[in-house]
Amino acid sequence: MAYATLVSNKPADPLEPITYRDMATPLGELRLVASPKGLRGAWFTDQEGLPSTEGWTLSQTDPILEQARRELDDWFAGKRRHFDVALDPVGTTFQHKVWHALCDLGFGKLASYGDLARTVGRPKGAQAVGGAVGRNPIIIIIPCHRVIGADTSLTGFGGGLPRKQALLAHEGNRYLSRNARARRVCDGQAELPW
């Protein structure tokens, strides 16, 4: 995973050219958004908090968007376990620390909010880490779906718990219920859920 910038804690430049495209996935339509430096966002189109496309340019040929689309298609097909597309999310210094820590979680690996808090040097900051995870603007590629409760409970997910359960199953982690309190039942790579 390559961050285009180490930290981009300023608001996005309103004059910066932003492109977007939508793509089909087994879990619903995903909107990809790019700046000239890298992937700026990825949201399911029915997700709460989906930004408006006002001022953005629809593009089916932007090289960053095309690379992200190809990599996501390969990931969903089980042909890829990590992403190489350049990333350019906008967030605070702390959010970037958390997002970098998420990127370090390998395929199928899970971490609790407390684990991430210790990783970023804030051992008592699980709640703050939860806030940063919840503001992740690049779903799946910055793998916030890999964050679970300390007791292995499913907890929340911006794309919805059914999608989180499916993403975790794709990576070999089984949950029998879509309830936020559901506990993991086993590990190991498994068949694709779609």
Side-chain angles (χ1 to χ4, degrees), residues 28-47:
E29 193 170 62
L30 197 64
R31 176 156 301 148
L32 304 174
V33 179
S35 75
K37 294 183 265 182
L39 194 64
R40 178 68 55 89
W43 297 271
F44 286 102
T45 56
D46 63 353
Q47 193 172 326

Side-chain angles (χ1 to χ4, degrees), residues 141-155:
I141 294 174
I142 297 179
C144 55
H145 62 277
R146 295 179 185 152
V147 180
I148 59 172
D151 60 357
T152 77
S153 58
L154 202 52
T155 68

Side-chain angles (χ1 to χ4, degrees), residues 128-180:
V129 163
V133 169
R135 287 177 184 80
N136 170 21
I138 305 176
I139 206 163
I140 301 171
I141 294 174
I142 297 179
C144 55
H145 62 277
R146 295 179 185 152
V147 180
I148 59 172
D151 60 357
T152 77
S153 58
L154 202 52
T155 68
F157 182 62
L161 289 179
R163 285 186 179 126
K164 182 172 184 171
Q165 181 187 32
L167 292 168
L168 292 175
H170 174 64
E171 296 185 358
N173 294 287
R174 295 284 184 231
Y175 285 81
L176 298 180
S177 158
R178 294 176 177 158
N179 182 304

Side-chain angles (χ1 to χ4, degrees), residues 12 14 16 34 39 45 60 65-66 82 87 94 109 127 144 157 162-163 174 177 182 187 193:
E16 182 177 38
L39 194 64
T45 56
Q60 301 299 323
L65 296 176
E66 180 55 21
H82 69 280
L87 302 180
F94 179 71
K109 302 297 181 200
Q127 191 170 8
C144 55
F157 182 62
R163 285 186 179 126
R174 295 284 184 231
S177 158
D187 291 325

Side-chain angles (χ1 to χ4, degrees), residues 109-130:
K109 302 297 181 200
L110 303 178
S112 70
Y113 296 99
D115 294 335
L116 281 177
R118 286 184 289 282
T119 298
V120 300
R122 299 261 310 260
K124 296 184 188 254
Q127 191 170 8
V129 163

Side-chain angles (χ1 to χ4, degrees), residues 74-141:
D74 287 349
W75 188 87
F76 277 110
K79 299 175 186 173
R80 170 180 287 277
R81 289 182 169 223
H82 69 280
F83 297 93
D84 299 315
V85 66
L87 302 180
D88 187 34
V90 174
T92 67
T93 301
F94 179 71
Q95 288 169 339
H96 278 273
K97 249 181 147 172
V98 172
W99 299 339
H100 276 277
L102 287 172
C103 289
D104 289 340
L105 286 175
F107 184 92
K109 302 297 181 200
L110 303 178
S112 70
Y113 296 99
D115 294 335
L116 281 177
R118 286 184 289 282
T119 298
V120 300
R122 299 261 310 260
K124 296 184 188 254
Q127 191 170 8
V129 163
V133 169
R135 287 177 184 80
N136 170 21
I138 305 176
I139 206 163
I140 301 171
I141 294 174

